[in-house]
Amino acid sequence: MGGAPASLTRGLEACAYGLGFDAFGVAALGEPATRPHFDAWLEAGRHGTMAYLDGAGAELRRDARQPHPGATHAVVVAASYGGREPSGPVARYARGDDYHVVLRERVRELHRWLERELGHPIDARPYVDSGPILERDLAQRAGLGWFGKNTMLITPRAGSFVFLASLFVSLELEPSAPFEADRCGACTRCLDACPTGALPAPRVLDASRCISYLTIELRDGIPEPLRAAMGGLLYGCDICNDVCPYNRKFSKELSEDSPFRPRPFLDGVPSRELALRVLGMGVPEYT
């Protein structure tokens, strides 16, 4: 029985890479190591108007065993969405198919593989940027990478241009070794490049100044002092990832059949033209 979790984990890893994931690990569920930083971040109001991160949502994030009661371990995976494509008015992650749908199905296939391998149902739940969990903390504990100074998880296999996903399971698996190294050194390129000052210190994000927050999460008007610094960015921002030396080294080309390749509607279209296209869309085109 002692070797069963290890062999099962190795089989799961092979299945994950076969499904197109770029990184894989397993973490035991519990209180996140970053909980004190998360609490201090909320206390400072750096989450802006994202009220779902506070209150009951914060309580669930303070212990990874709470979102899916009974789960003991998480299978944590990462999938590259490129990084070599030209920058543009829409962040790279949002130019292709909906990653929630694509990756949720891949994670469900991991669940099905487990059930086939063990011959009985397994209580499990997939998460793809869709639940009250501190995903980057979980990924670091599963050995996928380290926290960059821009707060992104940097993986040695694909940089930080990756989606994170997980499968919470009520099953004993062999945990991976956490990624303990900090490979950012003295580099501050991401902090220096942020045009709105959303990175006031290493590994501190003021979401209320982040262009991704301003163009996606914020429901009010964008504060006037920040508008000029945003340039032509319409949805999300890749600047702090673009300047990272590890992304220049590790980020990947998208394959021809990747679901994350840009839709023609978004591919290479200048900001002003794209904004006019979107504003001119009717309900059928938008949906």
Side-chain angles (χ1 to χ4, degrees):
M1 181 66 183
S7 61
L8 195 62
T9 301
R10 287 194 297 271
L12 259 178
E13 182 174 14
C15 180
Y17 287 127
L19 289 167
F21 288 110
D22 295 279
F24 168 93
V26 174
L29 298 179
E31 183 175 309
T34 56
R35 173 177 172 170
H37 304 285
F38 175 60
D39 288 342
W41 185 75
L42 289 174
E43 182 65 27
R46 300 208 186 267
H47 58 304
T49 61
M50 295 182 288
Y52 61 86
L53 292 173
D54 208 346
E59 205 54 45
L60 287 171
R61 289 173 171 85
R62 291 183 177 116
D63 191 325
R65 292 167 293 194
Q66 293 192 65
H68 189 67
T72 58
H73 290 74
V75 177
V76 189
V77 286
S80 168
Y81 58 87
R84 302 285 179 173
E85 302 75 33
S87 58
V90 174
R92 291 174 182 84
Y93 84 90
R95 298 177 191 174
D97 291 348
D98 187 337
Y99 68 93
H100 302 88
V101 176
V102 174
L103 297 186
R104 191 175 291 118
E105 181 53 33
R106 290 188 193 177
V107 174
R108 283 175 177 152
E109 185 53 42
L110 288 176
H111 185 190
R112 289 190 283 267
W113 182 92
L114 269 175
E115 293 187 325
R116 290 194 301 268
E117 190 71 11
L118 294 175
H120 60 77
I122 300 295
D123 179 31
R125 181 174 180 177
Y127 287 98
V128 183
D129 192 23
S130 57
I133 56 177
L134 298 181
E135 295 162 305
R136 283 168 287 186
D137 181 282
L138 208 57
Q140 184 272 334
R141 282 197 285 140
L144 272 66
W146 77 97
F147 298 120
K149 291 183 181 179
N150 62 354
T151 75
M152 302 296 288
L153 186 91
I154 303 175
T155 68
R157 288 180 174 268
S160 59
F161 286 109
V162 293
F163 298 120
L164 298 177
S166 56
L167 181 69
F168 280 35
V169 295
S170 302
L171 180 70
E172 288 298 316
L173 294 170
E174 182 182 47
S176 307
F179 200 107
E180 301 287 4
D182 173 8
R183 297 183 179 172
C184 289
C187 179
T188 59
R189 294 184 191 182
C190 55
L191 280 67
D192 300 337
C194 180
T196 55
L199 295 167
R203 299 179 180 89
V204 177
L205 172 69
D206 184 348
S208 68
R209 300 184 67 88
C210 176
I211 293 174
S212 289
Y213 166 86
L214 295 171
T215 57
I216 300 172
E217 295 285 351
L218 183 64
R219 297 296 180 262
D220 301 322
I222 295 172
E224 194 160 342
L226 299 177
R227 294 178 187 177
M230 293 172 59
L233 297 176
L234 301 178
Y235 192 93
C237 176
D238 286 326
I239 292 173
C240 67
N241 287 320
D242 281 335
V243 299
C244 177
Y246 284 106
N247 275 326
R248 296 181 181 183
K249 181 177 181 180
F250 297 139
S251 63
K252 297 187 173 186
E253 297 279 358
L254 286 173
S255 63
E256 287 298 322
D257 60 349
S258 171
F260 306 127
R261 290 192 69 81
R263 291 186 173 95
F265 180 84
L266 299 171
D267 196 11
V269 182
S271 299
R272 184 176 180 84
E273 180 182 340
L274 181 59
L276 291 172
R277 284 188 189 182
V278 173
L279 289 172
M281 291 170 70
V283 173
E285 295 88 356
Y286 187 79
T287 55

